[in-house]
Amino acid sequence: MTDSQVVRLVLNGEIDAYEEIIRRYQKRIFILAYRFVWNKEEAEDIAQEVFMKSYKNLKHFDQSREFYPWLHKVAINTVFTCLKQRSGRKNEIEFIEEMHGDEKYSPEKAVEQRKESEQVASALNSLPPRYQIVLALREIEGLNYSEIAEQADCSIGTVMSRLNRGRKKLWEKLKRRTS
Protein backbone atom coordinates (compact mmCIF):
# COMPACT_ATOMS: atom_id res chain seq x y z
CA MET A 1 0.00 0.00 0.00
CA THR A 2 1.40 3.42 -0.94
CA ASP A 3 1.62 6.41 1.39
CA SER A 4 -1.14 8.10 -0.62
CA GLN A 5 -3.44 5.14 -0.11
CA VAL A 6 -2.74 5.11 3.63
CA VAL A 7 -3.38 8.85 3.86
CA ARG A 8 -6.72 8.43 2.04
CA LEU A 9 -7.73 5.67 4.46
CA VAL A 10 -6.91 7.87 7.44
CA LEU A 11 -8.77 10.84 5.98
CA ASN A 12 -11.75 8.57 5.33
CA GLY A 13 -11.94 7.69 9.02
CA GLU A 14 -9.69 4.64 9.35
CA ILE A 15 -7.57 6.19 12.09
CA ASP A 16 -5.66 2.98 12.82
CA ALA A 17 -4.15 3.15 9.32
CA TYR A 18 -1.92 6.00 10.52
CA GLU A 19 0.08 3.42 12.47
CA GLU A 20 1.44 2.30 9.08
CA ILE A 21 2.82 5.82 8.45
CA ILE A 22 4.44 5.77 11.90
CA ARG A 23 5.89 2.31 11.28
CA ARG A 24 7.36 3.39 7.93
CA TYR A 25 8.92 6.66 9.07
CA GLN A 26 9.49 6.48 12.82
CA LYS A 27 13.17 5.55 12.56
CA ARG A 28 13.93 8.16 9.87
CA ILE A 29 12.23 10.95 11.82
CA PHE A 30 14.00 9.93 15.04
CA ILE A 31 17.40 9.95 13.29
CA LEU A 32 16.65 13.32 11.73
CA ALA A 33 15.75 14.80 15.12
CA TYR A 34 18.72 13.15 16.85
CA ARG A 35 21.14 14.67 14.35
CA PHE A 36 19.97 18.10 15.45
CA VAL A 37 19.54 17.70 19.21
CA TRP A 38 22.13 14.97 20.04
CA ASN A 39 19.94 13.65 22.84
CA LYS A 40 18.04 10.36 22.58
CA GLU A 41 15.11 11.27 24.84
CA GLU A 42 14.64 14.68 23.23
CA ALA A 43 14.79 13.15 19.74
CA GLU A 44 12.14 10.59 20.76
CA ASP A 45 9.92 13.40 22.09
CA ILE A 46 10.37 15.38 18.88
CA ALA A 47 9.57 12.34 16.73
CA GLN A 48 6.40 11.73 18.73
CA GLU A 49 5.41 15.38 18.35
CA VAL A 50 6.07 15.22 14.59
CA PHE A 51 3.66 12.31 14.20
CA MET A 52 1.04 14.00 16.38
CA LYS A 53 1.31 17.25 14.37
CA SER A 54 1.30 15.47 11.03
CA TYR A 55 -1.78 13.45 12.01
CA LYS A 56 -3.58 16.55 13.25
CA ASN A 57 -2.72 18.46 10.04
CA LEU A 58 -3.15 15.59 7.58
CA LYS A 59 -6.22 17.28 6.10
CA HIS A 60 -3.87 20.06 4.88
CA PHE A 61 -1.58 17.63 3.04
CA ASP A 62 -1.73 18.03 -0.75
CA GLN A 63 -2.41 14.46 -1.88
CA SER A 64 -1.10 15.19 -5.36
CA ARG A 65 2.40 15.37 -3.87
CA GLU A 66 4.69 12.83 -2.19
CA PHE A 67 4.04 12.29 1.53
CA TYR A 68 7.57 12.01 2.98
CA PRO A 69 8.78 15.48 1.90
CA TRP A 70 5.75 16.95 3.67
CA LEU A 71 6.44 14.87 6.79
CA HIS A 72 10.13 15.87 6.62
CA LYS A 73 9.10 19.54 6.57
CA VAL A 74 6.87 19.00 9.62
CA ALA A 75 9.87 17.39 11.33
CA ILE A 76 12.26 20.22 10.44
CA ASN A 77 9.77 22.82 11.66
CA THR A 78 9.32 20.89 14.91
CA VAL A 79 13.09 20.61 15.41
CA PHE A 80 13.51 24.30 14.61
CA THR A 81 10.88 25.21 17.23
CA CYS A 82 12.65 22.97 19.76
CA LEU A 83 16.02 24.57 19.02
CA LYS A 84 14.57 28.07 19.37
CA GLN A 85 13.01 27.14 22.72
CA ARG A 86 16.22 25.78 24.14
CA SER A 87 18.48 28.42 22.55
CA GLY A 88 20.94 29.67 25.13
CA ARG A 89 20.34 26.68 27.39
CA LYS A 90 23.24 24.30 27.85
CA ASN A 91 22.34 20.87 26.47
CA GLU A 92 23.60 17.45 27.34
CA ILE A 93 25.24 15.70 24.40
CA GLU A 94 24.72 11.97 23.93
CA PHE A 95 26.33 9.85 21.28
CA ILE A 96 25.56 6.30 20.25
CA GLU A 97 28.77 4.78 18.99
CA GLU A 98 29.15 1.19 17.97
CA MET A 99 32.50 -0.07 16.81
CA HIS A 100 31.16 -3.34 15.30
CA GLY A 101 34.37 -5.07 16.27
CA ASP A 102 36.41 -3.12 13.74
CA GLU A 103 40.08 -3.74 14.54
CA LYS A 104 41.24 -0.35 13.27
CA TYR A 105 39.65 1.21 16.38
CA SER A 106 41.58 1.20 19.60
CA PRO A 107 40.05 2.33 22.90
CA GLU A 108 42.34 5.38 22.84
CA LYS A 109 41.30 6.28 19.30
CA ALA A 110 37.63 5.81 20.17
CA VAL A 111 37.97 8.16 23.17
CA GLU A 112 39.76 10.73 21.00
CA GLN A 113 37.12 10.51 18.26
CA ARG A 114 34.32 10.80 20.80
CA LYS A 115 35.95 13.90 22.29
CA GLU A 116 36.27 15.49 18.84
CA SER A 117 32.67 14.61 17.99
CA GLU A 118 31.48 16.10 21.27
CA GLN A 119 33.42 19.32 20.57
CA VAL A 120 31.89 19.67 17.10
CA ALA A 121 28.39 18.84 18.33
CA SER A 122 28.73 21.22 21.27
CA ALA A 123 29.98 24.02 19.00
CA LEU A 124 27.16 23.34 16.52
CA ASN A 125 24.56 23.31 19.30
CA SER A 126 25.85 26.65 20.60
CA LEU A 127 25.13 28.37 17.27
CA PRO A 128 21.87 30.26 16.76
CA PRO A 129 19.13 27.92 15.45
CA ARG A 130 19.03 29.60 12.00
CA TYR A 131 22.64 28.45 11.45
CA GLN A 132 22.21 25.05 13.11
CA ILE A 133 19.33 24.16 10.82
CA VAL A 134 21.01 25.02 7.50
CA LEU A 135 24.35 23.48 8.53
CA ALA A 136 22.72 20.25 9.64
CA LEU A 137 20.51 20.05 6.55
CA ARG A 138 23.55 20.55 4.30
CA GLU A 139 26.29 18.67 6.13
CA ILE A 140 24.31 15.92 7.86
CA GLU A 141 21.23 15.45 5.70
CA GLY A 142 23.12 16.19 2.45
CA LEU A 143 20.39 18.42 1.01
CA ASN A 144 21.14 20.85 -1.82
CA TYR A 145 20.51 24.61 -1.56
CA SER A 146 17.03 24.54 -3.06
CA GLU A 147 15.95 21.65 -0.79
CA ILE A 148 17.31 23.52 2.24
CA ALA A 149 15.50 26.69 1.15
CA GLU A 150 12.25 24.75 0.91
CA GLN A 151 12.73 23.05 4.30
CA ALA A 152 13.88 26.23 6.07
CA ASP A 153 11.25 28.34 4.33
CA CYS A 154 13.69 30.94 3.00
CA SER A 155 15.39 31.92 -0.25
CA ILE A 156 18.44 30.17 -1.72
CA GLY A 157 20.43 33.37 -1.16
CA THR A 158 19.52 33.27 2.53
CA VAL A 159 20.58 29.62 2.69
CA MET A 160 23.95 30.44 1.13
CA SER A 161 24.44 33.37 3.51
CA ARG A 162 23.49 31.35 6.59
CA LEU A 163 25.72 28.48 5.54
CA ASN A 164 28.66 30.83 5.05
CA ARG A 165 28.11 32.66 8.33
CA GLY A 166 27.32 29.45 10.18
CA ARG A 167 30.50 27.75 8.97
CA LYS A 168 32.58 30.77 9.99
CA LYS A 169 30.99 30.90 13.45
CA LEU A 170 31.42 27.13 13.87
CA TRP A 171 35.08 27.35 12.81
CA GLU A 172 35.72 30.22 15.25
CA LYS A 173 34.12 28.29 18.12
CA LEU A 174 36.14 25.16 17.32
CA LYS A 175 39.40 27.15 17.09
CA ARG A 176 38.72 28.69 20.52
CA ARG A 177 37.95 25.29 22.05
CA THR A 178 41.11 23.66 20.71
CA SER A 179 43.46 26.56 21.53
Side-chain angles (χ1 to χ4, degrees), residues 31-173:
I31 291 169
L32 171 71
Y34 185 83
R35 287 177 173 168
F36 284 96
V37 298
W38 300 100
N39 178 290
K40 182 179 183 274
E41 289 78 21
E42 195 170 6
E44 288 171 344
D45 290 346
I46 289 170
Q48 183 175 9
E49 188 173 339
V50 166
F51 287 110
M52 288 176 12
K53 283 181 178 180
S54 61
Y55 175 77
K56 182 179 173 186
N57 293 297
L58 198 57
K59 60 186 172 277
H60 301 295
F61 169 63
D62 179 358
Q63 293 183 46
S64 67
R65 304 188 77 169
E66 292 292 319
F67 180 75
Y68 183 72
W70 179 79
L71 183 64
H72 190 270
K73 177 130 176 135
V74 171
I76 291 298
N77 289 339
T78 304
V79 168
F80 190 65
T81 300
C82 174
L83 292 174
K84 280 199 275 189
Q85 289 172 349
R86 77 175 195 187
S87 186
R89 181 175 103 201
K90 187 170 177 131
N91 7 292
E92 178 184 342
I93 299 171
E94 291 183 16
F95 289 91
I96 300 173
E97 295 182 345
E98 293 183 24
M99 298 306 169
H100 301 292
D102 195 339
E103 290 153 17
K104 68 181 175 182
Y105 289 104
S106 67
E108 295 82 14
K109 187 171 182 173
V111 168
E112 183 181 323
Q113 285 178 333
R114 180 184 174 113
K115 184 178 176 186
E116 288 173 8
S117 294
E118 287 174 349
Q119 287 175 342
V120 171
S122 178
L124 182 62
N125 285 335
S126 71
L127 293 175
R130 66 183 173 274
Y131 300 129
Q132 285 183 40
I133 291 289
V134 294
L135 282 169
L137 288 174
R138 179 68 178 175
E139 305 303 333
I140 297 171
E141 290 292 306
L143 300 183
N144 64 38
Y145 290 163
S146 62
E147 291 169 327
I148 296 169
E150 185 178 326
Q151 293 292 324
D153 212 17
C154 62
S155 70
I156 292 175
T158 301
V159 168
M160 293 169 69
S161 173
R162 287 181 184 172
L163 278 170
N164 186 37
R165 288 184 186 137
R167 285 176 179 140
K168 284 180 182 176
K169 288 181 180 291
L170 183 63
W171 180 249
E172 289 167 9
K173 288 180 182 288

Side-chain angles (χ1 to χ4, degrees), residues 3 19 30 33 41 80 174:
D3 288 347
E19 289 178 22
F30 167 79
E41 289 78 21
F80 190 65
L174 288 171

